[in-house]
Amino acid sequence: MLYLYSFITFIASFVLKIVSLFSQKMKLFVEGRQHVFSTLEKFVHTDDTVIWFHAASLGEYEQGLPIMEKMRALYPESKILLTFFSPSGYEIRKNTTAADVVVYLPLDTISNAKKFMKLAHPDMAFFIKYEFWPNYLNQLKKSGTPTYLISGLFRPNQAFFKWYGGIYRNAFKAFNHFFVQYESSKELLKTIGFANVTVSGDTRYDRVSRILEQDNSLPFIEKFINGKTTVVFGSSWPKDEDMFVDFINRSVDTKFIIAPHTFGEAHMQGLRQSLKKPVLFYSEMEDKNLAEYDVFIVDTIGLLGKIYSYADVAYVGGGFGTAGLHNILEPAAFGIPVVFGPNHQKFPEAVALVQNGGAITVKDKAETELALSELIYNDTYRQEKGHIAETFVKMSRGAVHKIINYITNDDRNNL
């Protein structure tokens, strides 16, 4: 079965090259992997001790970052190797100072896994949340490398728990320990014979809580807000924007900040044309009187976390599409009530925040407008929900301590 899987993966590599001729994202996916081995040869030496972290994309990177930083502090002489599967993670964090070497993970063929392991020779490995690549895990097992899963999340409908999931169940034997988010994941792993599991929680709660400790000031946002109630629409997709653009156009005495998930020229200009209020782009703000504008569109990356600190209400995008709900914990950590679309059931933090009363889920335009209106114009209601959101994040911290405490006391780790 493993050889069939490897053969299919090998064939897929050729298909992806063809697809890359027509897709910019896939082009990055394919071309970015062409120099992985030469990069490892150049920057990872035979006498280096290496701690390897693998993240599927940006969200998983954020979950792994607190552990990366702790491992850096504990083992300053070791090199941190960070791999990404997706361009949306690698292209944004390829220059992160949290790791010494950042590369794409080559496709999971037997030959790639063997070559990667030979060049990277990790002394310890961490996989974040999910993405279980059988050939890589088998090589880690063969080499005896201590391997851990961080913030694992399992559901009954996943292949690991089906009759055809034997290839993955066998690969899971590579893990010395699973650190999972919820008791339900621990119980699922138990059904397939794995008891080496700790319910540690989600490291993202520790990560977002640290945002509160940094300098989040953005003087240009302060000038734009000018003391008015402010709604931040974070990581919005076109389907999200369809829900709130008309609301913005009818609103009075309120400021709006939109940070779209993508900001291609056609999309951004279309968004501008749909708005009947004075609109200013981040890229255009030089020499402008920001207070004169009602809508500020952020056509750059890296600012949203700080911008949330200025919000009174946050709408987080992704819940009206299939790509996935974006990070709701950042605004919640600031004590901001959160609104998002209906497609959030695969995100336990979203389900829990709704159940606790710190977030509102909406299923259409009318519900979106009602939720935003109630939060904007009812100060007591808004403050109560914001307090619940903040408390929820604070009470959910502690995963990093549990993980690091276990690892530093694991006698298999001799870095």
Side-chain angles (χ1 to χ4, degrees):
M1 190 67 178
L2 182 61
Y3 286 101
L4 176 60
Y5 163 85
S6 300
F7 177 72
I8 293 172
T9 304
F10 179 74
I11 296 300
S13 67
F14 291 97
V15 175
L16 291 172
K17 289 178 181 179
I18 297 173
V19 176
S20 70
L21 299 175
F22 309 97
S23 167
Q24 178 59 31
K25 183 175 182 179
M26 198 54 64
K27 183 178 180 181
L28 292 171
F29 182 96
V30 172
E31 292 185 352
R33 285 169 163 78
Q34 293 178 356
H35 306 292
V36 171
F37 296 132
S38 60
T39 300
L40 292 176
E41 288 176 340
K42 182 177 181 180
F43 294 106
V44 179
H45 307 132
T46 55
D47 57 346
D48 288 334
T49 55
V50 177
I51 305 174
W52 173 28
F53 287 83
H54 175 66
S57 192
L58 187 59
E60 292 71 39
Y61 164 82
E62 294 294 339
Q63 284 179 298
L65 185 58
I67 305 298
M68 269 187 266
E69 292 173 337
K70 287 289 187 181
M71 296 302 285
R72 168 82 80 191
L74 287 168
Y75 307 104
E77 300 302 318
S78 297
K79 282 189 174 177
I80 303 293
L81 167 63
L82 172 63
T83 59
F84 284 101
F85 183 77
S86 169
S88 57
Y90 175 82
E91 296 300 329
I92 294 175
R93 290 291 180 258
K94 59 187 176 184
N95 296 316
T96 179
T97 57
D100 299 288
V101 184
V102 184
V103 293
Y104 279 99
L105 183 70
L107 291 180
D108 188 33
T109 64
I110 294 174
S111 60
N112 279 346
K114 287 182 176 179
K115 188 170 185 179
F116 181 91
M117 285 293 294
K118 181 179 179 180
L119 293 173
H121 55 82
D123 297 271
M124 196 183 304
F126 295 87
F127 282 60
I128 305 164
K129 189 176 180 180
Y130 54 60
E131 283 221 331
F132 305 105
W133 301 112
N135 285 313
Y136 282 102
L137 288 172
N138 286 338
Q139 291 301 315
L140 285 165
K141 182 184 175 185
K142 287 179 180 179
S143 66
T145 306
T147 302
Y148 304 94
L149 179 68
I150 301 171
S151 293
L153 186 61
F154 295 94
R155 296 184 297 274
N157 62 348
Q158 290 173 311
F160 328 122
F161 310 107
K162 305 294 185 180
W163 64 267
Y164 51 82
I167 184 176
Y168 293 103
R169 291 192 290 273
N170 186 60
F172 277 9
K173 295 175 183 177
F175 287 106
N176 294 86
H177 207 79
F178 298 83
F179 296 98
V180 298
Q181 297 184 32
Y182 298 99
E183 185 70 29
S184 58
S185 292
K186 179 178 180 178
E187 292 303 313
L188 281 170
L189 285 169
K190 189 184 295 184
T191 66
I192 57 173
F194 293 96
N196 50 331
V197 186
T198 295
V199 181
S200 60
D202 190 344
T203 53
R204 284 182 301 169
Y205 292 101
D206 299 89
R207 169 66 177 153
V208 298
S209 295
R210 289 179 51 197
I211 295 176
L212 304 177
E213 302 169 5
Q214 69 183 25
D215 180 5
N216 292 298
S217 60
L218 294 171
F220 64 90
I221 293 294
E222 294 176 16
K223 292 177 182 177
F224 165 74
I225 290 173
N226 197 28
K228 293 186 177 181
T229 300
T230 302
V231 181
V232 174
F233 299 97
S235 301
S236 63
W237 292 78
K239 288 183 179 180
D240 297 295
E241 291 151 12
D242 289 341
M243 298 296 120
F244 60 71
V245 163
D246 288 343
F247 177 83
I248 293 176
N249 289 335
R250 294 196 306 271
S251 297
V252 295
D253 204 35
T254 305
K255 295 280 189 166
F256 300 94
I257 301 173
I258 306 174
H261 179 69
T262 58
F263 34 87
E265 181 66 21
H267 175 219
M268 299 301 273
Q269 291 308 317
L271 181 57
R272 164 175 266 166
Q273 292 170 15
S274 69
L275 293 162
K276 309 307 178 187
K277 300 274 188 177
V279 177
L280 180 66
F281 280 70
Y282 171 84
S283 58
E284 303 171 339
M285 69 178 184
E286 189 174 355
D287 300 325
K288 299 289 196 310
N289 182 355
L290 277 67
E292 293 180 352
Y293 297 87
D294 293 327
V295 183
F296 188 88
I297 298 179
V298 185
D299 54 344
T300 188
I301 60 174
L303 295 177
L304 183 56
K306 291 187 176 184
I307 288 174
Y308 277 135
S309 70
Y310 291 93
D312 294 291
V313 179
Y315 175 103
V316 176
F320 278 98
T322 58
L325 182 66
H326 292 281
N327 191 343
I328 66 167
L329 297 181
E330 283 188 344
F334 285 110
I336 310 301
V338 187
V339 179
F340 45 80
N343 300 334
H344 64 275
Q345 297 303 318
K346 292 183 178 180
F347 298 84
E349 72 279 8
V351 174
L353 193 55
V354 171
Q355 290 174 343
N356 281 274
I360 301 171
T361 179
V362 293
K363 67 175 183 293
D364 54 32
K365 190 175 185 178
E367 288 192 359
T368 302
E369 294 184 351
L370 178 61
L372 292 174
S373 294
E374 290 179 332
L375 289 169
I376 291 170
Y377 300 113
N378 187 330
D379 292 348
T380 301
Y381 177 71
R382 180 177 70 247
Q383 290 165 7
E384 287 177 351
K385 287 203 165 292
H387 177 70
I388 292 171
E390 182 180 15
T391 303
F392 174 78
V393 173
K394 286 181 178 178
M395 295 299 291
S396 301
R397 295 178 300 186
V400 171
H401 174 76
K402 291 178 181 178
I403 294 169
I404 292 297
N405 186 58
Y406 182 96
I407 290 168
T408 53
N409 287 287
D410 188 344
D411 58 15
R412 288 163 292 202
N413 301 321
N414 298 303
L415 296 182

